[in-house]
Amino acid sequence: MTKGDRQGKAGEFPALFLLKSLLFSYILTGGLLLLLALLLYKAGLSQKVVSVCIILIYVIATFFAGFITGKKLKNRKFLWGALMGTLYFVVLVVISLIVNRQPGILTGSFATTLILCGGGGMLGGMLS
């Protein structure tokens, strides 16, 4: 089976590639969060600055996931990017629910974060 044959099968190639892109976005998130932790330790950043930086990290990570996915898949780039941003958000919510074990964390900025993640991925897909 050649590489072209694998791309033709429904779901096989894109699913694996989407998982790799999602993994890349979480590795990028981890690296940026470590950098933020270092800045917090060295510079003593305020809570407001840290909150803004975390939101920026979400948008940057989903942007790159959408960009990579759009470059590879070529068709409907903005939809693939939005899907990557939404998947990133869903994994983030599931992990938060597992760690906190409280459904009450789904209030407040839940919708805003979903829109920012989906929008960041969509923008990345459109600019790819």
Side-chain angles (χ1 to χ4, degrees):
M1 179 184 300
T2 66
K3 187 176 180 180
D5 293 338
R6 286 189 299 161
Q7 290 178 353
K9 287 188 177 181
E12 185 179 333
F13 172 72
L16 182 61
F17 181 74
L18 292 178
L19 288 174
K20 287 179 181 179
S21 296
L22 195 60
L23 179 63
F24 169 77
S25 67
Y26 275 104
I27 291 170
L28 179 62
T29 299
L32 291 174
L33 286 174
L34 284 173
L35 180 63
L36 179 61
L38 179 67
L39 288 173
L40 180 62
Y41 177 71
K42 293 289 185 181
L45 302 175
S46 70
Q47 178 67 33
K48 189 170 186 170
V49 171
V50 171
S51 295
V52 169
C53 287
I54 289 173
I55 291 170
L56 284 174
I57 289 170
Y58 291 162
V59 173
I60 290 168
T62 55
F63 174 85
F64 280 111
F67 188 84
I68 292 168
T69 304
K71 277 285 192 198
K72 184 71 172 177
L73 298 181
K74 306 227 189 282
N75 294 325
R76 298 185 181 143
K77 296 176 183 184
F78 69 98
L79 287 177
W80 286 111
L83 176 67
M84 289 307 297
T86 303
L87 285 174
Y88 179 93
F89 176 77
V90 167
V91 171
L92 197 65
V93 168
V94 168
I95 290 172
S96 294
L97 287 172
I98 290 170
V99 169
N100 292 327
R101 295 188 178 128
Q102 297 174 354
I105 64 164
L106 300 180
T107 60
S109 62
F110 183 80
T112 305
T113 307
L114 172 60
I115 291 168
L116 287 171
C117 288
M122 184 184 291
L123 182 63
M126 288 189 307
L127 295 178
S128 65

